[in-house]
Amino acid sequence: MATDIILFVILAAIAIVCAIAMIITRNAVHSAIFLVIVMATLAIFFLGLSGPFIAMVQIAVYAGAIMVLFLFVVMLLGAERVGAQTGMKWQVPIALVLGVILLTVAGLLLVRAGPTTVPSAATSSFTSQVPGACADDVKQVQSTGTVIGTPCLVGDQLFTAYLFPFEIVSVLLLAAMVGAIVLTRRPAESKT
Amino acid sequence: MEQVFSIAWLIIVFPIAGLLINLAFGRRMTERGLGTVAATAAGASFFVSLLVVIALIGLEPEARLIGKEVPLWQFFSIGNTAVEFGLKLDALSGTMLMVVTFVGTLIHIYAIGYMHGDPRFQRFFIYLNLFMAAMLTLVLANNYLMMFFGWEGVGLCSFLLIGFWFEKDANGDAARKAMVANRIGDYGVMLAMLAMFVGVGSLQYGDVFRAFEEGHGALAGLATGVTLLLFLGVTGKSAQIPLYVWLPDAMAGPTPVSALIHAATMVTAGVYLIARSEPIFHLVPDVQGFVAIVGAATALFAGTIALAQFDIKKVLAYSTVSQLGFMVSAVGMGATAAGIFHLGTHAFFKALLFLGAGSVIHGVEHGHHHISHYSHTSTPSEEHFDPQDMRNMGGVWNRMRTTAIVYIIGALGLAGVVPFAGFWSKDEILLEASKLNQVAYILLLIAAGFTAFYITRQVLMVFFGQPKSEAAGQAQESPRVMIVPLIILAFFVTTIGLINAPGISLFSTWLEGEAHGEFDLSIAAISTAIALGAIGLGILVYRPRPKVEGAPDDPLRRLGLIFSTLNAKYKIDEIYDLLFIRPFKALARFLADVIDGRFWHDWFHDTVIARTFKWLANFTAFPIDKGIVDRFFDGIGRAIAWGGRQLRRTQTGYVRNYALVVLMGVVAIVVWFASRMLGQ
Amino acid sequence: MSAEGFSVLYPYLIGLSALLFTLGAIGVLVRRNALILFMSVELMLNAANLAFVAFARALNQLDGQVFVFFVMVVAAAEVAVGLALIVTIFKTKKSTNVDDISALKG
């Protein structure tokens, strides 16, 4: 228990610091690196929250693919350094004020709202959606009383209850791919 | 014979039919045709009148007095009161009928010859027929309103006919003078009618008389007022003091008009009115006395003027005024039969005198044209030759014998010489006057003397002595169509007096149901003596003398100022002009120019109303409309534009600003939800 | 790792998520570099993912995790297109300063 708390505090601190750094630093590459560290931290959190599959996906997709893509573009555009803040200096204080308000509200809500423990759903009757799949995982869930986000179980959900969004999202990916290609295509030669 | 009463309305309709025919077809008809139609209409009226009178004679005396009423139609009705138009056929209206239609017909025939060659021949006869219709309506009416219709109608025709030759300004002026004077009198009659209607509730003769006799106590004051107002009308229509001034000027019209309207018929309407209203007058002896005095005074007054006039028709005009005075005085004092009798005889001899004068004028004019055509030397005096001036006449006896004879007959009738008509009627008036009103008697007696004097003067100046102008020397007798009516009239002048001679008092029994008083030889002797004496004096003064160079135009010039005053008719017209006409004109001009023009139009309309309105319009247009309203709506527009400009500033184009706004919205929503959740 | 894991620390996890989200929002508003701005957006998405997973664990369900999956997919697609856009704009503007892209200024 205590280890959880310590782990949490350390990881949270790292995440916060890196996030602040990411915002503040002038170098875009530095910014990207800091973001990667934040994402890694979050992956560990996911692990701790019984979401192994999601944690791995976070590392693989987010930190691995998306951030790499970012770094490619940064280096492509040579946007390492950007000049000092000019114009609209007033935006910063306002943003800070808004942030403070948001945090205050969130804090109030957290302090005053509901119990810290949430009654969990009974897992003795937990089954997979697809009959007969993920037998081992199901048994584990039923015995431990905790639902774990194993690949098999997540997939089970994905292909049954969330089938429609899944398909839509795949179409979305297709659209994004096509869009990216179209946007960066060189315009056709007009002469000769 | 009673059935004739039911067709009595034809008496009025015949002249109307005549005038309508002449109006519709007159353009295509000859002079002869037009004249025949008009005269036939008058003659037909006369014929039916004769039948009516014969029927009336057949009645009992009492019935005759009451007479027959023939209702025609209801004119109007207000609530319980109504005015019914109808004909009253009794002895009085019968007498008037005979006078009007007989004399009228004769004059229609005479006028065919007199108006020969006039370019407006058609119109003249239309007017004459119209006059007949109106006069007959007046005489035959059974209520005051219908009588008033006729009263006004004859006034209108008088205007139309006096001003018939309107190319000369003087004629138009005379017509207008007649209208104005008559109108003043008409007000009297109208007010009297109003008083009657209010007091009695009806205008029918029978109702009114009965009401006055029965309700004598209550209506006493009303009777005085009514009779005086009616008398005002009489002074206008029958030319008494003070409204007689129009009659002499009315001689500007053609001679037949003077004869018919201003001698025989229209002017007698006033006398008829008093005679008809006798039941009312009877109740107020004071008014009767007043009327009698005024009438007698008029008779004397006019008589004095007549003897100093030089126009042949003017003499006859003033004579008419004087004789009307006799009649008015008689009926005024209650001697109805005497007055109406004199009305009848006067109609004949005055018509005869006028037509005779017309014949003389016609002859002298003829002689004038004769000279200017055939003579090669024209004397300057011919430029302003007045064929009516007696000083240009003389010796006509030799040139126009028939005219002269009948004229003298008429003169004797007027003077009141036995046995001509005038004697009997005038004598009867004097008899009654001596019994009823001494003052009037004296005045009338003197007036009778003057009458004889001035007519003698006229006869001598016109017919005897040497012709005082070449034209008179060349005068020719008038055509037969003019002479024959004269002869007929002369015959009647001679004989008609006898119907009411004492002993044969046909007329009095006819009219009043009783014979008139016994013959008083003394009265008759006095009046005859005065008449003969006056004639003798006239002959003495005006006997034909050889022409002396440098002699005055009238022997009576010796009387100097008296004569010139009489010649200038006491300057009454000038006095009226000063007293009434000029102030009235000044007042009218004042009202028109100052009140209406300067005050009402210039000041009130233009300044007050127009300028106020313009100011108001200016005010609402500029300060209010432009200033306030426009600014308001412009302001709205400008405010919206300003709002838009301000809103546009949020569109900075910077992504980060937009993101800020989004975040602000998010924060707002979160805060709101949180507050709700935290508040629970 | 205990079976409960971080489960007892849900409030703090949510608070962390809120804090990260706020930081990402501030980053969006403050930075002018388009790429860093984009990265701040990714940070916000990640903060939301954390919240999802925390709640899934709290309710003992998998739905939150499935949703995180979807969020990631969408984020990927979005990044692809967004970066393509930035590259395209860079070709014309020669600058990654978002303040230079103000043609829609009203």
Side-chain angles (χ1 to χ4, degrees):
Chain A
M1 199 55 167
T3 47
D4 294 333
I5 296 172
I6 293 171
L7 195 59
F8 170 76
V9 169
I10 294 171
L11 286 172
I14 294 172
I16 290 170
V17 167
C18 287
I20 293 174
M22 183 206 93
I23 293 171
I24 290 178
T25 184
R26 298 229 166 275
N27 196 327
V29 177
H30 295 171
S31 221
I33 300 297
F34 284 130
L35 187 58
V36 170
I37 296 173
V38 171
M39 285 178 185
T41 315
L42 287 183
I44 299 172
F45 275 127
F46 292 160
L47 273 176
L49 288 168
S50 311
F53 175 64
I54 289 296
M56 291 307 124
V57 170
Q58 167 96 339
I59 302 241
V61 171
Y62 239 121
I66 291 176
M67 290 321 296
V68 167
L69 198 56
F70 259 109
L71 278 167
F72 274 156
V73 175
V74 166
M75 281 187 274
L76 180 67
L77 301 184
E80 294 96 46
R81 291 189 190 278
V82 177
Q85 182 80 294
T86 53
M88 285 197 292
K89 293 242 174 76
W90 46 266
Q91 187 125 319
V92 176
I94 293 182
L96 287 171
V97 164
L98 284 174
V100 165
I101 294 173
L102 208 53
L103 282 173
T104 313
V105 169
L108 280 170
L109 281 173
L110 280 171
V111 166
R112 300 258 301 266
T116 53
T117 53
V118 178
S120 329
T123 50
S124 51
S125 58
F126 183 80
T127 51
S128 63
Q129 301 292 74
V130 177
C134 316
D136 303 327
D137 296 326
V138 170
K139 261 198 257 161
Q140 188 181 2
V141 168
Q142 283 174 344
S143 58
T144 58
T146 319
V147 174
I148 303 174
T150 59
C152 191
L153 283 176
V154 172
D156 177 50
Q157 284 288 335
L158 267 181
F159 288 109
T160 51
Y162 292 93
L163 182 59
F164 189 57
F166 182 73
E167 298 301 327
I168 298 287
V169 154
S170 57
V171 174
L172 184 67
L173 276 174
L174 178 63
M177 225 187 333
V178 172
I181 293 170
V182 166
L183 277 170
T184 51
R185 197 169 54 136
R186 234 177 275 243
E189 306 293 342
S190 51
K191 298 188 207 141
T192 65
Chain B
M1 213 38 188
E2 303 275 308
Q3 302 91 308
V4 77
F5 295 129
S6 50
I7 59 159
W9 52 272
L10 281 174
I11 299 177
I12 302 181
V13 165
F14 278 130
I16 295 180
L19 84 88
L20 285 174
I21 293 173
N22 277 338
L23 187 62
F25 303 111
R27 290 284 162 81
R28 300 174 233 154
M29 286 158 63
T30 60
E31 273 189 10
R32 183 158 240 155
L34 284 166
T36 311
V37 167
T40 311
S45 284
F46 168 67
F47 181 66
V48 179
S49 307
L50 192 60
L51 291 177
V52 167
V53 168
I54 293 173
L56 281 173
I57 291 177
L59 292 177
E60 291 296 318
E62 296 81 34
R64 207 183 307 142
L65 281 177
I66 299 170
K68 272 263 179 260
E69 284 220 19
V70 179
L72 289 177
W73 69 85
Q74 193 187 68
F75 190 60
F76 69 83
S77 74
I78 303 175
N80 293 334
T81 50
V83 170
E84 311 263 352
F85 271 23
L87 305 176
K88 180 140 176 100
L89 303 159
D90 66 351
L92 178 59
S93 55
T95 314
M96 297 297 297
L97 276 180
M98 292 310 295
V99 170
V100 171
T101 53
F102 186 65
V103 176
T105 307
L106 286 177
I107 295 183
H108 271 78
I109 299 171
Y110 177 90
I112 299 176
Y114 191 84
M115 299 300 290
H116 168 69
D118 193 293
R120 288 196 292 269
F121 194 88
Q122 174 201 15
R123 198 186 285 199
F124 185 79
F125 278 95
I126 292 173
Y127 287 165
L128 269 192
N129 270 144
L130 182 63
F131 168 80
M132 291 289 286
M135 188 70 199
L136 292 167
T137 308
L138 191 158
V139 162
L140 285 174
N142 74 343
N143 62 78
Y144 278 98
L145 187 62
M146 188 173 170
M147 189 278 305
F148 194 62
F149 271 38
W151 184 276
E152 297 260 35
V154 297
L156 170 70
C157 292
S158 169
F159 169 80
L160 292 172
L161 285 164
I162 294 174
F164 189 72
W165 290 320
F166 53 75
E167 290 83 7
K168 260 181 78 177
D169 280 347
N171 299 340
D173 290 344
R176 245 179 304 146
K177 189 170 179 176
M179 202 62 188
V180 171
N182 263 276
R183 212 75 193 104
I184 299 174
D186 291 349
Y187 273 122
V189 180
M190 275 196 271
L191 288 173
M193 287 202 301
L194 277 171
M196 266 187 251
F197 197 68
V198 168
V200 175
S202 161
L203 288 173
Q204 313 291 115
Y205 288 149
D207 295 342
V208 172
F209 299 150
R210 220 175 306 125
F212 270 105
E213 288 192 20
E214 289 164 13
H216 177 47
L219 293 173
L222 195 63
T224 313
V226 164
T227 48
L228 282 175
L229 287 168
L230 285 176
F231 184 58
L232 180 63
V234 171
T235 56
K237 190 69 77 186
S238 291
Q240 300 297 295
I241 295 172
L243 295 173
Y244 70 92
V245 290
W246 62 274
L247 192 68
D249 284 32
M251 297 303 118
T255 306
V257 172
S258 308
L260 179 63
I261 298 183
H262 307 126
T265 45
M266 184 185 102
V267 293
T268 56
V271 181
Y272 168 74
L273 181 63
I274 299 183
R276 178 60 79 193
S277 310
E278 200 263 341
I280 311 179
F281 277 86
H282 193 71
L283 301 170
V284 276
D286 294 334
V287 176
Q288 281 189 313
F290 176 68
V291 170
I293 301 282
V294 172
T298 307
L300 181 56
F301 180 74
T304 57
I305 299 180
L307 64 86
Q309 298 300 310
F310 290 118
D311 187 315
I312 190 172
K313 281 169 72 171
K314 283 268 168 52
V315 175
L316 295 177
Y318 281 104
S319 168
T320 304
V321 175
S322 175
Q323 295 302 303
L324 284 169
F326 271 88
M327 292 178 232
V328 166
S329 189
V331 292
M333 66 177 79
T336 318
I340 298 294
F341 186 40
H342 194 62
L343 188 154
T345 58
H346 172 266
F348 283 101
F349 57 68
K350 195 45 71 63
L352 173 60
L353 285 172
F354 264 109
L355 296 183
S359 175
V360 170
I361 296 169
H362 199 253
V364 172
E365 260 181 345
H366 217 261
H368 182 61
H369 286 152
H370 201 257
I371 297 173
S372 32
H373 271 139
Y374 291 109
S375 126
H376 300 293
T377 58
S378 56
T379 54
S381 64
E382 242 99 296
E383 311 305 321
H384 303 282
F385 183 72
D386 184 3
Q388 296 184 204
D389 195 327
M390 296 195 295
R391 295 171 286 189
N392 289 336
M393 299 177 187
V396 180
W397 169 263
N398 299 316
R399 306 287 312 171
M400 299 166 71
R401 184 60 55 92
T402 321
T403 303
I405 293 177
V406 294
Y407 199 90
I408 291 173
I409 293 176
L412 289 173
L414 175 61
V417 173
V418 143
F420 295 101
F423 167 72
W424 301 107
S425 56
K426 202 180 293 186
D427 178 64
E428 185 158 343
I429 294 180
L430 290 171
L431 181 64
E432 297 291 330
S434 68
K435 285 191 284 191
L436 296 172
N437 193 324
Q438 317 309 105
V439 178
Y441 173 64
I442 301 292
L443 292 173
L444 289 172
L445 202 55
I446 303 175
F450 277 109
T451 307
F453 182 77
Y454 65 65
I455 200 65
T456 310
R457 167 178 177 268
Q458 184 176 56
V459 166
L460 289 173
M461 273 183 102
V462 171
F463 293 104
F464 295 103
Q466 295 303 312
K468 300 201 185 53
S469 71
E470 272 199 70
Q474 296 284 338
Q476 300 205 341
E477 189 57 90
S478 302
R480 261 220 325 257
V481 74
M482 286 168 71
I483 294 293
V484 168
L486 291 178
I487 297 176
I488 297 176
L489 283 173
F491 169 73
F492 276 104
V493 168
T494 318
T495 57
I496 210 155
L498 294 169
I499 67 168
N500 211 28
I504 324 174
S505 35
L506 277 174
F507 193 70
S508 297
T509 39
W510 156 256
L511 198 60
E512 284 176 351
E514 62 194 24
H516 78 87
E518 68 288 355
F519 187 61
D520 191 338
L521 193 59
S522 55
I523 303 289
I526 295 175
S527 65
T528 310
I530 294 212
L532 290 173
I535 294 176
L537 187 63
I539 295 177
L540 194 66
V541 175
Y542 286 96
R543 70 177 178 277
R545 299 191 197 93
K547 202 156 173 191
V548 175
E549 285 305 316
D553 48 6
D554 192 303
L556 280 186
R557 286 275 182 201
R558 283 185 230 129
L559 295 176
L561 190 64
I562 300 178
F563 189 79
S564 33
T565 311
L566 294 179
N567 184 266
K569 33 194 174 63
Y570 298 97
K571 295 239 183 239
I572 291 288
D573 282 320
E574 288 76 3
I575 294 174
Y576 277 1
D577 183 57
L578 260 176
L579 278 182
F580 301 113
I581 309 292
R582 287 223 199 128
F584 187 78
K585 277 195 187 160
L587 180 68
R589 222 175 301 124
F590 174 72
L591 288 174
D593 290 342
V594 176
I595 305 284
D596 194 47
R598 293 214 331 247
F599 172 72
W600 188 243
H601 285 289
D602 288 349
W603 183 72
F604 193 67
H605 278 171
D606 288 348
T607 309
V608 173
I609 295 182
R611 272 182 53 187
T612 309
F613 189 75
K614 277 194 211 155
W615 174 85
L616 191 67
N618 241 311
F619 181 66
T620 46
F622 292 112
I624 294 188
D625 188 41
K626 255 193 152 155
I628 298 175
V629 174
D630 277 1
R631 278 223 207 103
F632 178 67
F633 288 107
D634 282 354
I636 291 180
R638 260 188 269 127
I640 294 178
W642 174 86
R645 265 200 306 279
Q646 301 312 312
L647 280 177
R648 201 219 273 166
R649 283 164 64 182
T650 57
Q651 301 295 315
T652 54
Y654 296 130
V655 176
R656 293 194 293 145
N657 286 343
Y658 299 158
L660 177 65
V661 172
V662 170
L663 189 61
M664 277 202 267
V666 168
V667 168
I669 292 174
V670 165
V671 165
W672 188 68
F673 271 120
S675 64
R676 290 194 51 201
M677 283 173 58
L678 290 174
Q680 284 174 348
Chain C
M1 193 87 49
S2 60
E4 300 89 11
F6 296 122
S7 48
V8 295
L9 301 166
Y10 302 128
Y12 303 103
L13 277 166
I14 302 302
L16 177 64
S17 163
L19 182 59
L20 286 174
F21 184 87
T22 309
L23 285 169
I26 292 174
V28 166
L29 295 179
V30 170
R31 297 309 305 251
R32 285 171 306 118
N33 192 336
L35 288 159
I36 298 179
L37 191 140
F38 216 172
M39 285 190 245
S40 307
V41 174
E42 293 307 312
L43 181 58
M44 284 171 23
L45 283 168
N46 275 288
N49 282 346
L50 179 60
F52 268 122
V53 174
F55 276 119
R57 186 68 196 86
L59 292 171
N60 218 6
Q61 286 174 335
L62 279 179
D63 296 79
Q65 295 189 11
V66 171
F67 210 80
V68 169
F69 181 78
F70 286 128
V71 170
M72 274 190 219
V73 171
V74 171
E78 167 216 347
V79 164
V81 174
L83 286 175
L85 272 171
I86 291 176
V87 166
T88 314
I89 291 173
F90 184 80
K91 280 198 206 151
T92 6
K93 293 275 183 181
K94 298 286 188 262
S95 157
T96 52
N97 192 343
V98 293
D99 286 348
D100 291 343
I101 311 168
S102 60
L104 282 180
K105 181 180 169 72

